Amino acid sequence: MSELPHLPSIRTILAATDLSPASIPALHAAAILAKQLDAELHLVHALGGALDPRMDFLMSQFAQRLQKSAQSELERLAGEFPDGAVTAVRVEVKRGNPIDVILEDTRRIQADLLVIGTHGRTALKHLALGAVAEHLAQNAPVDVLLVRNEVAGSFKRLLVGVSRSDASKRAAYRALNLAASMDVERVDMVSAYTVPYELRELLGVESEQAKKFRTFQEEDTIEVASAFQSAGFPGEILYEKGEPVQVILKTVEQLQSELVFIGCHNRPRWTSMLLGDTARVLAHKLPTATWLVRDLPEKHPVRDALLEALALK
């Protein structure tokens, strides 16, 4: 396995909210993490413009009133954070497309973590993130914490999905680094392995030859498993047969995990599958809070110069 990159500390957290009731748990989670990690917390709310350009004059007339109202609401929420107020809180209300505003703020303040709530407004259960949350999860340049439900105090039961990829191993190290500051009860690791479809009938899924695939997975993740053992947190190291998504969902239910760490692969900026298939599906399906851990940015000088020239950055 190649050497994993150094993981920068979480020093600046940006929590984005649309001020709906469904977004409040994300603010509470961000406040708790900021206190535990001694991080600075920024809150941002975007005042979306009118959909019809002919209505812009109305937005202009009421912009100051709307901004003042939203500012007051954010400050009220900041004053009601659980476990006491976080001292370093910055509140901002801006007008513009929520996605653009949040991504711009993420880069401007050099945030290490973006925290957002999930509340899709669609009747389709598998589209559970909501359009803004899904876009941010795919395109944010930093780690993203997706929060679905109210956090009871703080996250106590962590789970990391680990594969042979460096992205998932980076997620494991992120979880272990944070666990000491988060006062957790347990940190579990689960790794899924499968017998290739072409070999299932030939070998039989319960044969000794098929069981070697578990051995292969153990060998590929031995460094991370050793790190879990050395860290000394209560928890289990599990190797389960099955597809990664189903294995992780089942493990979350069995262990009653509250926060799941998933590694995300880097992709070229012009592709839409920035999360990778497993991370993307889990971001939709997990009933818990989900921490999407980014790879360090890859450097592509020629591509980046071309994108800059085309004003696509």
Side-chain angles (χ1 to χ4, degrees), residues 10-120:
I10 304 295
R11 294 300 181 193
T12 305
I13 299 173
L14 176 63
T17 176
D18 61 3
L19 298 179
S20 68
S23 71
I24 304 307
L27 298 185
H28 290 169
I32 292 169
L33 282 172
K35 186 174 183 179
Q36 291 175 328
L37 303 177
D38 193 25
E40 185 175 83
L41 176 61
H42 294 245
L43 308 183
V44 63
H45 169 66
L47 290 172
L51 295 178
D52 188 334
R54 294 171 296 180
M55 299 295 290
D56 276 348
F57 75 97
L58 285 178
M59 290 297 296
S60 298
Q61 287 183 0
F62 293 103
Q64 289 186 345
R65 185 183 303 177
L66 290 171
Q67 183 154 348
K68 184 177 180 180
S69 175
Q71 185 84 20
S72 298
E73 180 64 9
L74 271 183
E75 291 173 354
R76 183 189 69 80
L77 291 171
E80 295 181 357
F81 284 147
D83 298 329
V86 180
T87 55
V89 176
R90 298 178 184 272
V91 176
E92 291 187 272
V93 175
K94 295 184 175 181
R95 185 182 174 190
N97 180 288
I99 292 171
D100 294 338
V101 168
I102 294 166
L103 290 178
E104 178 186 348
D105 261 25
T106 300
R107 296 184 176 93
R108 181 181 61 81
I109 68 173
Q110 297 183 327
D112 303 300
L113 175 66
L114 172 62
V115 183
I116 50 180
T118 63
H119 51 284

Side-chain angles (χ1 to χ4, degrees), residues 84-284:
V86 180
T87 55
V89 176
R90 298 178 184 272
V91 176
E92 291 187 272
V93 175
K94 295 184 175 181
R95 185 182 174 190
N97 180 288
I99 292 171
D100 294 338
V101 168
I102 294 166
L103 290 178
E104 178 186 348
D105 261 25
T106 300
R107 296 184 176 93
R108 181 181 61 81
I109 68 173
Q110 297 183 327
D112 303 300
L113 175 66
L114 172 62
V115 183
I116 50 180
T118 63
H119 51 284
R121 294 184 175 87
T122 171
L124 300 177
K125 290 184 178 180
H126 68 282
L127 296 178
L129 282 185
V132 172
E134 178 164 11
H135 193 285
L136 291 171
Q138 290 194 18
N139 293 281
V142 298
D143 287 8
V144 177
L145 174 59
L146 302 169
V147 180
R148 297 187 185 280
N149 305 305
E150 187 62 61
V151 181
S154 63
F155 298 112
K156 295 291 188 182
R157 306 169 75 87
L158 312 186
L159 175 67
V160 186
V162 177
S163 68
R164 65 186 63 185
S165 73
D166 279 354
S168 73
K169 293 168 186 175
R170 178 178 165 83
Y173 279 84
R174 170 63 77 194
L176 291 175
N177 287 338
L178 292 174
S181 301
M182 293 173 64
D183 188 30
V184 300
E185 293 178 357
R186 61 184 295 142
V187 185
D188 299 289
M189 163 188 152
V190 63
S191 186
Y193 67 95
T194 58
V195 179
Y197 180 79
E198 297 82 356
L199 299 178
R200 291 177 189 175
E201 290 189 10
L202 179 64
L203 299 178
V205 293
E206 299 299 332
S207 68
E208 289 301 316
Q209 293 91 334
K211 291 178 181 178
K212 289 182 179 179
F213 286 93
R214 170 178 172 140
T215 303
F216 298 155
Q217 191 74 355
E218 290 176 351
E219 292 173 351
D220 288 337
T221 58
I222 188 171
E223 183 177 332
V224 174
S226 297
F228 268 78
Q229 292 172 336
S230 299
F233 296 109
E236 298 183 59
I237 299 174
L238 304 171
Y239 292 91
E240 301 289 346
K241 183 173 61 181
E243 297 300 326
V245 169
Q246 297 306 318
V247 165
I248 291 174
L249 290 173
K250 180 181 177 181
T251 305
V252 166
E253 183 178 0
Q254 290 176 339
L255 299 180
Q256 297 184 321
S257 305
E258 298 170 345
L259 174 58
V260 180
F261 288 78
I262 302 294
C264 301
H265 305 287
N266 273 331
R267 294 289 190 274
R269 295 182 187 178
W270 49 74
T271 66
S272 61
M273 303 296 290
L274 294 176
L275 289 183
D277 287 341
T278 299
R280 179 176 56 85
V281 175
L282 285 170
H284 281 283

